[in-house]
Amino acid sequence: MHFSRLSLAGLALSQAAAVTLWASAYNSGVFSLTLEQVEGGYTLTGEPIPGGSTACGIYVSWLTKDQYDNVVYCVDEAWGLANGTITSFKPTSNGSLALFDTERTLASPVATVVYNGGAALVAAHYDTSSVTTWKILPSGGLKAMQVFQYQLEAPGTIPSRQDKPHEHEVILDPSGSFIVLPDLGADLLRIFAINKTTRMLAESSTYAVIPGTGPRHGTFLKTETGTTYLFIIAELANAIASYSVKYTGTGLELTQVFLSGAYRINVAIPAGAGAAEAILSYLLTSLRHVASFQIPNFDSRNSTTIPSDALIIWTIDPATGKLKTDGSFRDFVVHVDIAGSPTSVIWDE
Ligand SMILES: *[C@@H]1O[C@H](CO)[C@@H](O)[C@H](O)[C@H]1NC(C)=O
Ligand SMILES: *[C@@H]1O[C@H](CO)[C@@H](O)[C@H](O)[C@H]1NC(C)=O
Ligand SMILES: *[C@@H]1O[C@H](CO)[C@@H](O)[C@H](O)[C@H]1NC(C)=O
Ligand SMILES: *[C@@H]1O[C@H](CO)[C@@H](O)[C@H](O)[C@H]1NC(C)=O
């Protein structure tokens, strides 16, 4: 599951202002939600996008808001089909999304990010082991640019998940010059340099993580003193690592400065856990399939409790890049009554 950068303070909800969120879920499309501050908390109300809930396909895996041209890009992982799609929507004044472009692409897109000051978009494709780049047209529509496709000579340490390379996310560095791509199947962080003139990506280097780690998602932090760290959460080893980042001019040099289990420091990982997401606020990470909490049923007439996944809150030491948990450990669910399996939540920033 993917959230856009989470900063409730940044939402400026104090004046009873409402914020529009968009959420996606497998099997039920895209939803437009309103987050409002009420006495004692927040309320979230939502509707499927009128007439458009399946406009981005059935297996919507990721939403990206392009801050430069006010477009929401939506990808359909399109399980079982030969191709996936990337759909462009313009938010309307009431928070609904108006579709204006759909591009067919390689199968299984799972994440996108806008780069080069809004000139281009890059997508990670999980099952086709590929990366595609797209020119963003003045209309906000897309035009295909590049395809990078990867292979493994032999399956990885966990053959059932590492049968081939699996490109899982695309992360823009704070300087806007590089893309880091966690490859879950190949146990690599693939680093690309952005050519600011042509908007194309060029392969710069790869960083090999411990075999069997399965890097999935990540986020960067540039501290007030100018040091840059990269945090990567790995699904197969259920681990979180920090790297200090050195800019070499043409590439990024990563040095691991911290490694821990993703379920807090020195706490055994529950069986079946799947580390999922890392975002910066403090640093929040999520684990799927854990059922660490039981929460009351959302239907007040129903006394059966519901299992909830865990959200883990880490503090970052800006001097070293190391992480700490203060025991903060929350249930995962912000309940929105949407059917299917939620995949992505972003807001109108
Ligand atoms: C929101 O606005 C769009 C376009 O302006 C319109 O088509 C749609 O019906 C509106 N939805 C609601 C719920 O008012
Ligand atoms: C659709 O999928 C096929 C099979 O992988 C691929 O050859 C083709 O390039 C894809 N189409 C587009 C527009 O990417
Ligand atoms: C960007 O691409 C252009 C055209 O291929 C090339 O001349 C230029 O050297 C590239 N810039 C960098 C920084 O690689
Ligand atoms: C009560 O909630 C449980 C857990 O969500 C659900 O499986 C069950 O169907 C619900 N019972 C009724 C009568 O709605």
Side-chain angles (χ1 to χ4, degrees):
M1 176 140 178
H2 157 64
F3 298 92
S4 67
R5 182 171 295 243
L6 194 63
S7 160
L8 281 177
L11 286 175
L13 282 168
S14 53
Q15 317 280 302
V19 172
T20 298
L21 305 182
W22 295 288
S24 63
Y26 287 150
N27 291 314
S28 45
V30 183
F31 292 76
S32 192
L33 308 169
T34 305
L35 181 67
E36 279 175 293
Q37 192 165 28
V38 293
E39 216 173 301
Y42 296 90
T43 64
L44 196 53
T45 48
E47 295 288 339
I49 288 165
S53 70
T54 56
C56 178
I58 303 295
Y59 292 101
V60 182
S61 53
W62 188 274
L63 300 169
T64 291
K65 173 77 192 296
D66 182 347
Q67 69 191 62
Y68 298 97
D69 64 1
N70 197 33
V71 169
V72 172
Y73 296 102
C74 175
V75 296
D76 180 15
E77 209 175 330
W79 294 2
L81 300 181
N83 293 93
T85 56
I86 309 184
T87 300
S88 312
F89 292 99
K90 275 261 194 254
T92 69
S93 55
N94 62 26
S96 71
L97 294 175
L99 180 152
F100 68 94
D101 182 46
T102 298
E103 297 296 322
R104 263 158 70 89
T105 181
L106 290 175
S108 65
V110 290
T112 58
V113 74
V114 170
Y115 67 94
N116 216 24
L121 177 122
V122 53
H125 299 250
Y126 183 85
D127 231 28
T128 40
S129 312
S130 56
V131 182
T132 57
T133 66
W134 303 79
K135 183 176 181 174
I136 297 180
L137 303 173
S139 64
L142 300 175
K143 186 168 185 298
M145 285 198 301
Q146 295 165 286
V147 176
F148 299 87
Q149 206 151 19
Y150 298 103
Q151 290 180 342
L152 275 182
E153 278 169 21
T157 306
I158 303 181
S160 61
R161 297 293 309 277
Q162 299 185 308
D163 53 327
K164 55 183 173 179
H166 289 299
E167 314 316 318
H168 216 311
E169 196 189 0
V170 271
I171 311 160
L172 180 65
D173 90 293
S175 78
S177 301
F178 299 94
I179 298 284
V180 172
L181 190 153
D183 184 326
L184 182 144
D187 283 323
L188 290 176
L189 303 175
R190 299 185 187 277
I191 299 167
F192 296 84
I194 297 167
N195 185 316
K196 303 250 165 102
T197 315
T198 62
R199 19 181 144 180
M200 304 248 195
L201 297 186
E203 288 169 313
S204 170
S205 64
T206 56
Y207 179 91
V209 300
I210 297 168
T213 301
R216 174 186 167 103
H217 282 174
T219 186
F220 278 97
L221 169 71
K222 185 172 176 187
T223 68
E224 280 170 7
T225 58
T227 312
T228 301
Y229 296 109
L230 171 65
F231 305 96
I232 293 285
I233 190 151
E235 180 175 340
L236 303 184
N238 280 296
I240 178 147
S242 357
Y243 302 91
S244 67
V245 178
K246 192 173 146 208
Y247 289 88
T248 63
T250 55
L252 298 180
E253 214 173 273
L254 305 181
T255 306
Q256 186 181 296
V257 292
F258 176 79
L259 179 68
S260 163
Y263 200 59
R264 293 165 289 157
I265 294 167
N266 295 330
V267 179
I269 309 287
E277 180 61 298
I279 57 168
L280 215 55
S281 168
Y282 293 88
L283 183 72
L284 301 182
T285 59
S286 69
L287 258 76
R288 301 177 298 170
H289 322 308
V290 170
S292 308
F293 294 88
Q294 291 289 323
I295 57 173
N297 205 292
F298 297 114
D299 176 355
S300 57
R301 293 159 302 179
N302 185 333
S303 61
T304 309
T305 57
I306 299 172
S308 168
D309 286 344
L311 200 59
I312 294 147
I313 300 167
W314 305 80
T315 48
I316 302 164
D317 178 349
T320 63
K322 293 184 180 173
L323 303 179
K324 276 194 303 210
T325 48
D326 58 2
S328 293
F329 179 60
R330 307 280 162 77
D331 57 327
F332 185 86
V333 173
V334 176
H335 181 66
V336 187
D337 197 6
I338 51 181
S341 175
T343 51
S344 188
V345 181
I346 62 169
W347 57 60
D348 195 4
E349 50 191 340

